[in-house]
Amino acid sequence: MKDINLPSNSKMLAQDFLFGVATSSFQIEGDRKGRLDNIWDTFCEKEGTISDSTNGDVACDHIALWREDVALIEALGVDAYRLSISWPRVMKQDGTVNEVGMQFYVNLVNDVIKRGMKVFVTLYHWDLPQYLEDNGGWLNRDTAYAFAKYAEAVAKVLGDKVYSFATLNEPFCSAYLGYEAGIHAPGKTGMANGRQAAHHLLLAHGLALKVINRLSPTSQNGIVLNFSNCHTTTNSEEDKRAAKLADDYHNQWYLQPIIEGKYPDVIDMLDADSKPEILEGDMEIISQPIDYLGINYYTRTLYQSDGKGWFEIVPPSNKVLTAMGWEITPDAFTDLLVELNERYDLPPIYITENGAAMDDTLDNSEVIDDARTAYFHTHLNAVNDAIEKGVDVRGYFAWSLMDNFEWALGYSKRFGIVYVDYDTQKRTLKQSALAYSKLVKSRINRYISGIK
Ligand code: IFM
């Protein structure tokens, strides 16, 4: 088995650094009958949207198997579990609470806590109730207010239990992939839609944060954003400018409003029709202080000029790719953390997702996924390098606990450190899970021998 090692003096091996695993509701839960439909149910029913024509109806059957899954997480020895709540499972269309759905999460959270782990709850990991989409979804400002009501219902019940709330997971994906590029639910397209959805998502974040801070003042309350460094393959000034535009458009669009209360300058380049409608007071709501920033990181992206003053993606020429076709770029991870830290006045950071899809095979009850273990090794060391350069990172979550529904790619891509046989729902720890667990458990000996 390959190991994951950190330098022996790494701050990540100290007692207060959290190691965890992460999942999300739609990707693992199944039990569609136990909740209202969401935009992914509808999207999956459309021809040609999901590469293997699957859906989330059963997924990892986590609603039935959650006790076993929590026991597995405990056995890994991690400090924390990051999960998301399914909005259409806990809220009814009339705005009242679905008590059965809410109780599921109360039981889950209680069990994780009972087993000595901290719970990081994400309120929105892309499963918008379909009835809200029928009224315009994230293009309708009212959705942001509906989100705050849902956040209130959850915070009332879980506020005294969880360690952390994140309002949104990766609003870039909800807005850009879902409403601009059309490759995620609900499959809408166009720059105007994408920008408006992004603004309403950020507004939803701000409105919900207010509520959570009031009802759950002792938890760490923030947001989870994804970043991909925007690099060029040439040194031409045009390409560098294009990469900077891409960075503003895809990355900073979500962080700058939160930290500085304004959108990046690229907004001035958009046609009047594509600019989001921003009402007075919105930017103040969006830019309330957050207790922490969750960062999801997988890879960098290459860009070049499109010759018309805008940017376009260049496919990676590198041969070292994950099964997603993503380059493996740990050094860029360090750079990203250092650059964000230099540019903004940031709160503490948690790495809320990092991991790799690989072409795993189950042989003799074993999955030898050395490439994934190597990915974790290099990326954890990249985080360590950033910490040494002054970035305040407090924790790291492996994506994902187990193989699951990888959105438009269905079950064809496996990100888990635990292998899921979708026919039998049997879980098998991959070698990467054993290596991650070994690293995490090695800290106990350090504490016992008094190394801080
Ligand atoms: O599976 C997703 C997750 O839902 C959000 N972040 C990226 C992961 C891998 O694509």
Side-chain angles (χ1 to χ4, degrees), residues 24 27 125-126 169-170 296 298 324 326 353 399 404 406-407 415:
S24 91
Q27 291 180 277
H125 200 124
W126 313 352
N169 179 70
E170 303 181 353
N296 293 355
Y298 291 90
M324 297 291 281
W326 297 347
E353 283 181 29
W399 183 267
N404 57 51
E406 179 52 25
W407 307 110
F415 270 94

Side-chain angles (χ1 to χ4, degrees), residues 93-330:
Q93 188 161 347
D94 63 6
T96 60
V97 171
N98 174 339
E99 298 296 347
V100 176
M102 190 68 93
Q103 193 58 42
F104 169 76
Y105 294 105
V106 171
N107 296 344
L108 175 64
V109 164
N110 282 343
D111 196 41
V112 177
I113 294 169
K114 196 180 85 199
R115 291 168 188 269
M117 295 176 285
K118 294 183 167 50
V119 184
F120 281 60
V121 162
T122 302
L123 290 167
Y124 186 68
H125 200 124
W126 313 352
D127 37 5
L128 183 72
Q130 181 60 40
Y131 65 86
L132 290 174
E133 181 57 36
D134 295 341
N135 280 329
W138 289 113
L139 300 178
N140 184 342
R141 197 176 162 88
D142 292 347
T143 299
Y145 290 88
F147 181 68
K149 283 247 171 314
Y150 151 61
E152 179 177 3
V154 175
K156 270 186 185 156
V157 176
L158 296 181
D160 60 344
K161 300 179 193 289
V162 311
Y163 185 78
S164 156
F165 280 110
T167 51
L168 309 177
N169 179 70
E170 303 181 353
F172 157 85
C173 294
S174 305
Y176 180 74
L177 302 181
Y179 286 84
E180 188 162 336
I183 55 177
H184 274 193
K188 296 214 163 106
T189 52
M191 188 182 270
N193 283 341
R195 297 302 106 182
Q196 192 61 62
H199 182 67
H200 288 154
L201 278 151
L202 289 170
L203 180 65
H205 154 76
L207 293 169
L209 190 66
K210 263 187 198 223
V211 174
I212 302 165
N213 282 340
R214 176 167 50 80
L215 294 173
S216 183
T218 54
S219 53
Q220 296 293 302
N221 304 326
I223 187 169
V224 171
L225 303 179
N226 58 308
F227 294 89
S228 179
N229 328 61
C230 298
H231 287 172
T232 56
T233 47
T234 75
N235 265 330
S236 95
E237 288 308 317
E238 262 193 307
D239 287 346
K240 282 194 219 160
R241 189 170 164 276
K244 159 89 175 74
L245 285 178
D247 183 45
D248 279 354
Y249 196 74
H250 289 319
N251 293 319
Q252 311 308 331
W253 193 277
Y254 302 90
L255 182 58
Q256 198 171 339
I258 291 172
I259 306 295
E260 296 179 350
K262 59 175 190 207
Y263 283 103
D265 293 344
V266 68
I267 195 170
D268 298 330
M269 292 176 65
L270 308 188
D271 293 344
D273 292 354
S274 300
K275 286 191 178 134
E277 190 186 5
I278 302 169
L279 300 193
E280 208 186 318
D282 283 2
M283 300 315 286
E284 286 72 42
I285 295 172
I286 290 170
S287 60
Q288 291 161 80
I290 45 177
D291 295 334
Y292 77 96
L293 172 66
I295 292 185
N296 293 355
Y297 183 80
Y298 291 90
T299 187
R300 68 170 181 170
T301 310
L302 298 173
Y303 291 95
Q304 66 187 13
S305 162
D306 72 348
K308 293 179 254 166
W310 200 239
F311 56 84
E312 61 188 19
I313 287 194
V314 186
S317 54
N318 194 332
K319 295 278 175 297
V320 196
L321 304 175
T322 68
M324 297 291 281
W326 297 347
E327 270 185 283
I328 299 177
T329 53

